[in-house]
């Protein structure tokens, strides 16, 4: 089921023009979660649109809702916690500053590209 949710979440990100999408498999590296899905956004309205698009569609299609959402107030880094999958939507500046991918450099990282 996780793979279907991951695939769909990344498709939903692409639909809203998110970029630098990475799926980071950390299942054997931490107990925090199994996967991180990270993406970047160019603006606060785009971040809001990506978050809402993911949440609404995953809720409809898989009957799941995030256990917790953080950062929706300022939209610079929005975290959506689906327990096994944590979705991070970053502004370009926040992503560069925190560079959380370096924390998981030894993880299996899959880069998602738009097929168009």
């Amino acid at each position: 089921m996780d793979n279907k949710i991951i695939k769909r979440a990344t498709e939903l990100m692409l639909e809203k023009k998110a970029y630098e999408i990475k799926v980071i498999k950390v299942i054997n590296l931490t107990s925090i979660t199994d996967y991180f899905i990270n993406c970047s956004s160019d603006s606060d309205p785009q971040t809001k649109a990506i978050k809402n698009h993911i949440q609404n569609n995953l809720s409809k299609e898989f009957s799941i809702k995030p256990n917790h959402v953080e950062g929706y107030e300022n939209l610079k880094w929005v975290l959506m916690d689906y327990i096994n999958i944590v979705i991070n939507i970053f502004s370009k500046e926040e992503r560069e500053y925190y560079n959380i991918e370096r924390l998981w450099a030894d993880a299996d990282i899959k880069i998602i590209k738009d097929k168009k």
Side-chain angles (χ1 to χ4, degrees):
M1 182 64 127
D2 284 352
N3 287 335
K4 288 181 181 180
I5 294 168
I6 291 166
K7 183 178 188 310
R8 187 62 181 132
T10 60
E11 290 169 352
L12 294 165
M13 289 173 174
L14 289 169
E15 288 174 11
K16 292 299 177 185
K17 308 296 185 215
Y19 59 96
E20 293 181 355
I21 301 170
K22 294 183 180 178
V23 177
I24 305 169
K25 184 178 179 181
V26 294
I27 194 166
N28 296 321
L29 302 174
T30 183
S31 59
I32 297 170
T33 189
D34 295 345
Y35 296 90
F36 288 107
I37 307 174
N38 297 345
C39 73
S40 295
S41 165
D42 284 325
S43 66
D44 291 356
Q46 183 185 19
T47 298
K48 190 175 191 177
I50 294 166
K51 181 262 181 204
N52 290 339
H53 194 55
I54 292 168
Q55 187 168 332
N56 293 341
N57 282 279
L58 292 184
S59 177
K60 276 188 242 174
E61 296 170 26
F62 297 96
S63 299
I64 60 170
K65 294 185 186 217
N67 188 50
H68 186 71
V69 175
E70 287 184 34
Y72 194 67
E73 308 76 34
N74 63 23
L75 298 170
K76 301 302 178 198
W77 175 0
V78 176
L79 180 146
M80 303 169 71
D81 183 358
Y82 286 93
I83 310 296
N84 293 358
I85 300 166
V86 173
I87 296 172
N88 294 294
I89 308 164
F90 294 98
S91 69
K92 184 174 173 46
E93 298 77 20
E94 295 292 302
R95 188 159 186 180
E96 288 173 2
Y97 181 79
Y98 289 104
N99 191 13
I100 67 168
E101 279 96 353
R102 78 177 147 72
L103 298 173
W104 308 109
D106 49 348
D108 179 21
I109 300 176
K110 181 177 181 186
I111 298 170
I112 307 297
K113 300 264 188 204
D114 196 347
K115 292 177 176 62
K116 294 177 184 174

